[in-house]
Structures are given as structure tokens and as C-alpha cells.
Amino acid sequence: MRSLTNLSMTVIAASLAVSFFSSCRGGNNQTNIELIQDMMESPALKSQEYDEGAPNNAAMRVPPEGTQPQGFVPYKYTDAVAAAANQNPLSGQYTEEVLKTGTKYYTIHCAICHGANGQGGEQQSVAETMALKPPTLTSDKVKGWTDGQIYHVITAGQGVMGPYAAHIPQKYRWQVVNYIRHLQGKGN
């Protein structure tokens, strides 16, 4: 009886080994059988798609309250008067690197309305059609603003000018402020 058990165990082990090695054919390009659906490829939704199971049927989810992206520093000033106290960490730094970065972002985002030299929107095609013309950045009024006030207008907007916080990265806004000061004749 014992030899029959040993023999049957040997036959079972041999048949398992043969079936295992016969299934491992080299060069077989068949894909795996997916036992659990949607584990290898999850269904993807685009942000503006309709999602029946989501709140408001929108596929785009709102981040949980109180969360913020890594490296993001919230802007603490709510009005231009309070923002006047905001200190420019690059104050007086008119190096080639600071002005080069400031020039880049000013030219892309500001010059279309304020002019290439900060002279206002009178000479610019976009500003010519505006009912309320953009201010001249080289005027005595803007020269009298603190760096914090200029930074605040770039970040939060003012009047008909919308906020540029989403367009000009936080780390480059002070360089734009320094470039505006350079246009005003400081740091030459």
C-alpha cells in the first residue's frame, strides 16, 4: 500500500512538472489571461467627461478641502493696502539673470497691454480696443507703489486686469517686479 502511495505521488508530481514545463513555451506571444477585470488597465476618464457615479456627474474631482500642491505657498494678502508690507526678497538685485527672467515673463504676459517699455496700452493693438486703457507702468503713480503692491497686482489682479498667479510662477513674480522697476529707470 505504501509503495502504491509513493508511486501515485510520484506520478502526480511528474504530471504536474510536465504540464508546467509544457506551458512555458519559449517565444510564445500570447497575452496573459486577465482573471480580475480592470486591474491591468483601469478605465480612464477625461476631466470634462460625464461620470454617472460622481458628484455633479463630473469626472473632474475637487481636491479635498485644506489640501495644497507640494511646494505651493499660499498668498496671504487679500488687498493691495495690506500687500504694501510684502517685502521683495530680490530688492535692488538687477543682475542679468533676474532681468532676463523678468523680461521673459513680462514680454509674454504683460507687454501686450502695458507695452514693451511699460508706456501703457496706447501703442498696443490689444489695448487700443479696451474701454479702460492699462496704466503706464513708468508713471509717477506706479513708481510710488511699493514692490509688494506691484507683486499683489500681478498675483491677484486689479480693476479689469485679472490675476496672473496661474500664468507667472510664484518664484518668478519678484523678477517681473524688478524688471518693471528697471523699466522705471531703477537699477540702470
Side-chain angles (χ1 to χ4, degrees), residues 63-144:
E65 191 173 326
T67 61
Q68 60 189 22
Q70 283 185 329
F72 175 77
V73 179
Y75 186 63
K76 63 183 179 179
Y77 300 104
T78 57
D79 60 50
V81 175
N86 196 1
Q87 296 296 313
N88 184 350
L90 302 175
S91 181
Q93 295 183 26
Y94 300 101
T95 63
E96 183 179 343
E97 182 182 334
V98 169
L99 292 177
K100 183 177 179 182
T101 304
T103 303
K104 173 186 171 185
Y105 284 97
Y106 179 88
T107 303
I108 292 169
H109 300 288
C110 310
I112 192 144
C113 294
H114 293 284
N117 296 318
Q119 297 297 321
E122 301 299 326
Q123 308 130 359
Q124 301 301 317
S125 62
V126 171
E128 288 174 0
T129 62
M130 295 180 175
L132 185 60
K133 303 294 184 216
T136 303
L137 298 178
T138 56
S139 69
D140 291 337
K141 176 184 175 183
V142 179
K143 284 182 182 179

Side-chain angles (χ1 to χ4, degrees), residues 22-43:
S22 67
S23 67
C24 297
R25 287 179 259 149
N28 186 0
N29 289 331
Q30 291 180 339
T31 58
N32 295 335
I33 297 173
E34 200 173 322
L35 298 176
I36 302 173
Q37 299 295 318
D38 294 333
M39 287 296 286
M40 293 173 80
E41 293 181 28
S42 61

Side-chain angles (χ1 to χ4, degrees), residues 10-24:
T10 306
V11 169
I12 291 172
S15 65
L16 284 174
V18 168
S19 66
F20 175 75
F21 287 116
S22 67
S23 67
C24 297

